Amino acid sequence: LNLVATFGKRHSTAPVECLPDVAAVRRWLRAAGALPGQRDCPVDARGRESLIELREAIHRIVLATRAGRSLPADDLATVNTASAGPEFVPSLPWGRSGRGVTWTSSEPFASALTLLARDAIDLVATVPASRIKECEHPDCSRMFVDESQSGRRRWCSMQACGNHVKVTAHRRRGATTR
């Protein structure tokens, strides 16, 4: 869902693309942990388009899952094809004392797409649809897994969206009582 969140404010008239260029894609992949052990990942404009295509396919699959609808065939093909890609391979590093693992791939970008697609498959296959939610803040479209005991979480983040909604409601109530 962190990949899906790279396109923010989906419901507004001014959505926010967080991956506007290949440099942003490289930064996001590193920050998201999608490049284990890789310092750099060559990405070109077509690679960026592939990542955005995967992101949107995952988004539509999650929406269909939440609504109890059949999963879109084209989107399934996109995710399943990415899932079948090359993997990062673990190895024990030579010449070092202690423990550790080095992860390598001859195609780090394709391996990152594989990792992201498999995470999406795991999410849809194992998390109850009722626990995958969209933030109720009117300007937010982030999706999250509600891991609260009651299953009644409403916002992607209480510190950001939840607090903003509550402060706005408090101010509105205060303005009407004066």
Side-chain angles (χ1 to χ4, degrees):
L1 295 178
N2 288 337
L3 176 59
V4 172
T6 62
F7 189 70
K9 298 186 176 188
R10 287 177 182 268
H11 310 303
S12 80
T13 57
V16 178
E17 174 60 73
C18 299
L19 303 173
D21 54 41
V22 295
V25 168
R26 283 195 298 270
R27 283 191 304 273
W28 184 85
L29 288 171
R30 278 194 303 274
L35 298 169
Q38 302 289 308
R39 285 192 164 46
D40 193 25
C41 178
V43 180
D44 59 14
R46 178 65 194 127
R48 177 185 170 272
E49 290 171 19
S50 295
L51 180 63
I52 289 173
E53 180 182 350
L54 178 61
R55 175 188 71 193
E56 296 307 308
I58 292 168
H59 181 250
R60 288 185 295 270
I61 286 171
V62 170
L63 289 177
T65 299
R66 290 181 63 223
R69 295 188 318 260
S70 296
L71 304 182
D74 289 349
D75 295 331
L76 284 172
T78 297
V79 171
N80 289 336
T81 298
S83 173
E87 299 180 52
F88 288 104
V89 178
S91 61
L92 294 171
W94 291 98
R96 284 196 211 162
S97 61
R99 297 180 186 203
V101 175
T102 302
W103 294 87
T104 58
S105 173
S106 59
E107 301 176 63
F109 180 74
S111 296
L113 291 181
T114 300
L115 181 66
L116 293 165
R118 290 179 181 178
D119 281 352
I121 290 169
D122 183 57
L123 172 79
V124 171
T126 63
V127 175
S130 63
R131 291 293 182 139
I132 303 171
K133 298 185 176 178
E134 188 171 349
C135 183
E136 290 184 19
H137 187 289
D139 293 332
C140 185
S141 60
R142 285 186 75 111
M143 299 179 104
F144 61 92
V145 175
D146 181 354
E147 295 177 330
S148 68
Q149 187 173 0
S150 66
R152 295 181 1 200
R153 187 172 150 197
R154 298 173 55 196
W155 301 288
C156 63
S157 162
M158 185 59 200
Q159 292 78 17
C161 291
N163 189 53
H164 185 264
V165 168
K166 288 183 172 201
V167 166
T168 301
H170 176 74
R171 287 183 180 153
R172 192 174 303 127
R173 282 190 306 272
T176 59
T177 59
R178 291 181 195 178

